[in-house]
mmCIF file of all heavy atoms in Angstrom:
data_model
loop_
_atom_site.group_PDB
_atom_site.id
_atom_site.type_symbol
_atom_site.label_atom_id
_atom_site.label_comp_id
_atom_site.label_asym_id
_atom_site.label_seq_id
_atom_site.Cartn_x
_atom_site.Cartn_y
_atom_site.Cartn_z
ATOM 1 N N TYR A 176 0.562 44.601 -24.085
ATOM 2 C CA TYR A 176 0.405 44.561 -22.632
ATOM 3 C C TYR A 176 -0.949 44.004 -22.188
ATOM 4 O O TYR A 176 -1.265 44.014 -20.992
ATOM 5 C CB TYR A 176 0.588 45.964 -22.052
ATOM 6 C CG TYR A 176 1.955 46.547 -22.310
ATOM 7 C CD1 TYR A 176 2.141 47.549 -23.257
ATOM 8 C CD2 TYR A 176 3.078 46.078 -21.631
ATOM 9 C CE1 TYR A 176 3.396 48.076 -23.519
ATOM 10 C CE2 TYR A 176 4.344 46.595 -21.885
ATOM 11 C CZ TYR A 176 4.495 47.595 -22.819
ATOM 12 O OH TYR A 176 5.743 48.108 -23.070
ATOM 13 N N ALA A 177 -1.744 43.517 -23.123
ATOM 14 C CA ALA A 177 -3.099 43.064 -22.791
ATOM 15 C C ALA A 177 -3.104 41.945 -21.757
ATOM 16 O O ALA A 177 -3.941 41.930 -20.849
ATOM 17 C CB ALA A 177 -3.822 42.618 -24.060
ATOM 18 N N GLN A 178 -2.164 40.986 -21.881
ATOM 19 C CA GLN A 178 -2.138 39.863 -20.940
ATOM 20 C C GLN A 178 -1.951 40.332 -19.507
ATOM 21 O O GLN A 178 -2.570 39.806 -18.576
ATOM 22 C CB GLN A 178 -1.027 38.889 -21.317
ATOM 23 C CG GLN A 178 -0.935 37.652 -20.413
ATOM 24 C CD GLN A 178 -2.150 36.759 -20.526
ATOM 25 O OE1 GLN A 178 -2.427 36.207 -21.579
ATOM 26 N NE2 GLN A 178 -2.897 36.605 -19.435
ATOM 27 N N GLN A 179 -1.118 41.334 -19.293
ATOM 28 C CA GLN A 179 -0.867 41.831 -17.941
ATOM 29 C C GLN A 179 -2.129 42.420 -17.322
ATOM 30 O O GLN A 179 -2.411 42.208 -16.137
ATOM 31 C CB GLN A 179 0.242 42.879 -17.964
ATOM 32 C CG GLN A 179 1.597 42.322 -18.356
ATOM 33 C CD GLN A 179 2.678 43.388 -18.353
ATOM 34 O OE1 GLN A 179 2.449 44.503 -17.903
ATOM 35 N NE2 GLN A 179 3.848 43.046 -18.848
ATOM 36 N N TYR A 180 -2.890 43.147 -18.111
ATOM 37 C CA TYR A 180 -4.124 43.738 -17.591
ATOM 38 C C TYR A 180 -5.195 42.675 -17.349
ATOM 39 O O TYR A 180 -5.984 42.772 -16.419
ATOM 40 C CB TYR A 180 -4.627 44.820 -18.543
ATOM 41 C CG TYR A 180 -3.784 46.069 -18.531
ATOM 42 C CD1 TYR A 180 -2.702 46.212 -19.390
ATOM 43 C CD2 TYR A 180 -4.055 47.098 -17.636
ATOM 44 C CE1 TYR A 180 -1.908 47.345 -19.369
ATOM 45 C CE2 TYR A 180 -3.278 48.248 -17.613
ATOM 46 C CZ TYR A 180 -2.203 48.361 -18.481
ATOM 47 O OH TYR A 180 -1.425 49.493 -18.449
ATOM 48 N N MET A 181 -5.210 41.644 -18.190
ATOM 49 C CA MET A 181 -6.123 40.525 -17.952
ATOM 50 C C MET A 181 -5.766 39.823 -16.645
ATOM 51 O O MET A 181 -6.643 39.433 -15.867
ATOM 52 C CB MET A 181 -6.064 39.540 -19.119
ATOM 53 C CG MET A 181 -6.621 40.070 -20.419
ATOM 54 S SD MET A 181 -6.434 38.866 -21.764
ATOM 55 C CE MET A 181 -6.792 39.897 -23.198
ATOM 56 N N ASP A 182 -4.453 39.664 -16.396
ATOM 57 C CA ASP A 182 -4.012 39.032 -15.156
ATOM 58 C C ASP A 182 -4.429 39.867 -13.943
ATOM 59 O O ASP A 182 -4.812 39.314 -12.910
ATOM 60 C CB ASP A 182 -2.491 38.857 -15.164
ATOM 61 C CG ASP A 182 -2.020 37.809 -16.161
ATOM 62 O OD1 ASP A 182 -2.842 36.979 -16.565
ATOM 63 O OD2 ASP A 182 -0.836 37.839 -16.536
ATOM 64 N N GLU A 183 -4.347 41.188 -14.083
ATOM 65 C CA GLU A 183 -4.763 42.039 -12.958
ATOM 66 C C GLU A 183 -6.258 41.908 -12.704
ATOM 67 O O GLU A 183 -6.700 41.847 -11.558
ATOM 68 C CB GLU A 183 -4.418 43.504 -13.218
ATOM 69 C CG GLU A 183 -4.814 44.385 -12.033
ATOM 70 C CD GLU A 183 -4.601 45.861 -12.251
ATOM 71 O OE1 GLU A 183 -3.869 46.232 -13.189
ATOM 72 O OE2 GLU A 183 -5.186 46.661 -11.474
ATOM 73 N N TYR A 184 -7.047 41.857 -13.776
ATOM 74 C CA TYR A 184 -8.493 41.685 -13.590
ATOM 75 C C TYR A 184 -8.791 40.368 -12.873
ATOM 76 O O TYR A 184 -9.619 40.320 -11.959
ATOM 77 C CB TYR A 184 -9.217 41.707 -14.935
ATOM 78 C CG TYR A 184 -10.711 41.530 -14.772
ATOM 79 C CD1 TYR A 184 -11.523 42.607 -14.442
ATOM 80 C CD2 TYR A 184 -11.299 40.276 -14.908
ATOM 81 C CE1 TYR A 184 -12.881 42.436 -14.256
ATOM 82 C CE2 TYR A 184 -12.654 40.094 -14.732
ATOM 83 C CZ TYR A 184 -13.446 41.184 -14.405
ATOM 84 O OH TYR A 184 -14.793 41.001 -14.203
ATOM 85 N N CYS A 185 -8.114 39.308 -13.289
ATOM 86 C CA CYS A 185 -8.319 38.002 -12.652
ATOM 87 C C CYS A 185 -7.906 38.030 -11.183
ATOM 88 O O CYS A 185 -8.550 37.403 -10.339
ATOM 89 C CB CYS A 185 -7.557 36.918 -13.403
ATOM 90 S SG CYS A 185 -8.212 36.567 -15.050
ATOM 91 N N LEU A 186 -6.833 38.759 -10.874
ATOM 92 C CA LEU A 186 -6.402 38.910 -9.484
ATOM 93 C C LEU A 186 -7.533 39.493 -8.648
ATOM 94 O O LEU A 186 -7.864 38.984 -7.573
ATOM 95 C CB LEU A 186 -5.172 39.812 -9.420
ATOM 96 C CG LEU A 186 -4.718 40.250 -8.019
ATOM 97 C CD1 LEU A 186 -3.973 39.114 -7.331
ATOM 98 C CD2 LEU A 186 -3.825 41.494 -8.092
ATOM 99 N N ARG A 187 -8.164 40.541 -9.135
ATOM 100 C CA ARG A 187 -9.245 41.202 -8.401
ATOM 101 C C ARG A 187 -10.483 40.313 -8.310
ATOM 102 O O ARG A 187 -11.129 40.226 -7.275
ATOM 103 C CB ARG A 187 -9.588 42.530 -9.069
ATOM 104 C CG ARG A 187 -8.435 43.507 -9.056
ATOM 105 C CD ARG A 187 -8.733 44.816 -9.750
ATOM 106 N NE ARG A 187 -7.532 45.637 -9.701
ATOM 107 C CZ ARG A 187 -7.127 46.276 -8.616
ATOM 108 N NH1 ARG A 187 -7.838 46.204 -7.505
ATOM 109 N NH2 ARG A 187 -6.016 46.981 -8.625
#
Side-chain angles (χ1 to χ4, degrees):
Y176 299 106
Q178 182 66 63
Q179 294 181 9
Y180 288 90
M181 292 177 193
D182 290 340
E183 182 184 344
Y184 180 82
C185 292
L186 171 78
R187 297 178 182 284

